[in-house]
Amino acid sequence: RAVADADAGAGADADEAARRDAEVGAAKQAFRLHRALAYIGLGRTAAAVHDLHDLADAADASPDARFLLARLLLKSGALADARTHLSQALRADPAHAQAKALSEQMAASAKVYDEEATRLMLIGEVPKAISNLSSAIELEPTNALLYRRRALAHKQHDDARAAAADMEEAVRLAGGTFPEAERLLTGINNDAAIAEAAAGRLESALRYIDRAIERDATSARFRVNRADIARRLNDTEAALVDYAAARELCARTSSRRDDELAWEIECKVSLVHYEAGASHFNRTDYPAAFAAFSRALACNPRVPQYLLARAEVATMLKRWDVVRVDAEAALPLAPGHAKA
């Protein structure tokens, strides 16, 4: 009616129609709220929730409607939705007494869920503990400590992806600075990379290991893990770069663990060169194959397969001195080997 009056040039009539429309709209909101209250009194919760949802969806929804909806949703177990509507009620009216009281009730309930999760973790009921922590988070979705605790539960349950997501959220909620969570997140990202690689999700694995290295660029193990993933992605150049970086990091210390890792790196690098040599050999590029097999032997000279591969290429190149030396070196390592 207001639009029609305005189009006809009856501005005053249009203003009056708009005013009456606003009054009708307000009356409808009040009616829906009162009807919802009546439904609550009659125990018709679903009907009350329906009316309150309609009210809450409006941009100018009243704090009372949002509070009532939050309370009903909480009773029905829809914890996350309840917290959402209660937060909206408090943003609209921070002094809303009933909303504040309900918020305190939710915080107390979250604490109960958290404490029960602790008990469940102690007796090994990890999935149930995760469920309780999830309920606590729905009630207090901005609590960084709850996300950190659930991340650790996911980690114990061998779900590194979920653990990484929760620990990332814990750091975000803490404003980007949460030293303990950040330290744990580094290792969890590495765990997630290993799990993703084992499942064949190599691109995802690469993203996780990149995050781990971004947080700790001094870990030789992380570099080796990324090199392994790159190798499976057929990115030999990237793999060799990371193996070299890992080798350099190991050289800075003299622990037994680093010495063992350094030997592991040499073995893996030798395999990369051996695979490259086999590829060159299959393409009849014998000089390149010879060079690649030689690099493999420089890293690990006690693999008879490498020795025999170079010996075979040497026959193609008529390098009889190399053929003899490599065959003689292979025999003690693989006694009775027909090719040797």
Side-chain angles (χ1 to χ4, degrees):
R1 172 74 180 276
V3 173
D5 287 341
D7 288 342
D13 291 341
D15 289 341
E16 176 62 20
R19 183 186 64 77
R20 288 198 300 271
D21 182 64
E23 290 176 353
V24 170
K28 284 182 178 179
Q29 285 194 358
F31 166 74
R32 297 297 285 274
L33 180 59
H34 294 155
R35 187 170 70 177
L37 290 168
Y39 281 143
I40 293 171
L42 293 169
R44 296 175 59 183
T45 303
V49 168
H50 182 272
D51 271 350
L52 290 169
H53 259 303
D54 284 347
L55 289 171
D57 287 342
D60 58 346
S62 72
D64 289 335
R66 295 192 187 280
F67 157 72
L68 286 171
L69 179 56
R71 190 175 72 175
L72 290 180
L73 290 171
L74 182 62
K75 287 183 177 179
S76 67
L79 307 184
D81 286 343
R83 166 50 68 184
T84 296
H85 288 291
L86 185 63
S87 296
Q88 290 172 343
L90 286 170
R91 277 198 296 271
D93 182 5
H96 196 290
Q98 291 172 303
K100 289 170 67 177
L102 186 59
S103 182
E104 291 172 1
Q105 179 186 335
M106 285 185 174
S109 296
K111 185 177 180 181
V112 171
Y113 279 118
D114 186 21
E115 290 172 350
E116 177 63 7
T118 300
R119 185 189 71 81
L120 290 166
M121 289 290 289
L122 290 173
I123 62 175
E125 296 282 357
V126 181
K128 292 181 179 177
I130 291 171
S131 178
N132 273 265
L133 287 166
S134 296
S135 295
I137 286 170
E138 288 180 342
L139 291 167
E140 284 200 294
T142 60
N143 189 323
L145 291 174
L146 290 175
Y147 277 98
R148 173 190 165 278
R149 285 174 54 74
R150 191 173 68 175
L152 293 175
H154 280 308
K155 185 176 186 297
Q156 187 167 331
H157 196 48
D158 293 327
D159 190 346
R161 292 178 70 184
D166 272 352
M167 204 64 84
E168 290 274 9
E169 183 65 7
V171 173
R172 187 190 71 79
L173 289 171
T177 304
F178 194 162
E180 184 181 1
E182 291 176 76
R183 177 179 57 80
L184 292 167
L185 178 59
T186 304
I188 288 173
N189 277 326
N190 180 61
D191 294 342
I194 293 170
E196 290 294 275
R201 294 186 287 266
L202 299 180
E203 294 292 348
S204 175
L206 190 59
R207 287 192 292 273
Y208 278 114
I209 198 63
D210 282 345
R211 293 174 196 162
I213 292 173
E214 283 174 9
R215 292 185 176 278
D216 183 3
T218 65
S219 170
R221 170 53 67 185
F222 293 172
R223 296 280 184 170
V224 170
N225 290 346
R226 187 166 71 178
D228 290 345
I229 295 167
R231 187 169 145 239
R232 289 180 61 186
L233 287 167
N234 297 317
D235 191 346
T236 302
E237 184 177 349
L240 289 174
V241 167
D242 268 332
Y243 284 137
R247 185 191 288 127
E248 183 179 341
L249 289 167
C250 287
R252 296 177 185 176
T253 60
S254 57
S255 70
R256 179 179 176 182
R257 178 180 296 178
D258 284 327
D259 289 344
E260 291 173 350
L261 181 57
W263 175 242
E264 179 185 333
I265 293 167
E266 294 303 318
C267 292
K268 290 185 174 186
V269 171
S270 72
L271 187 55
V272 171
H273 290 309
Y274 172 76
E275 290 170 345
S279 177
H280 291 308
F281 182 83
N282 290 334
R283 295 197 301 270
T284 68
D285 186 350
Y286 299 128
F290 186 89
F293 289 141
S294 296
R295 286 193 292 270
L297 284 163
C299 295
N300 189 355
R302 296 186 59 77
V303 179
Q305 188 176 358
Y306 298 174
L307 288 162
L308 294 173
R310 188 171 69 174
E312 186 172 358
V313 175
T315 62
M316 302 296 180
L317 298 173
K318 296 182 171 41
R319 296 280 302 275
W320 308 116
D321 57 329
V322 175
V323 174
R324 182 180 183 83
V325 169
D326 283 352
E328 288 179 346
L331 274 172
L333 298 172
H337 195 291
K339 184 178 286 189

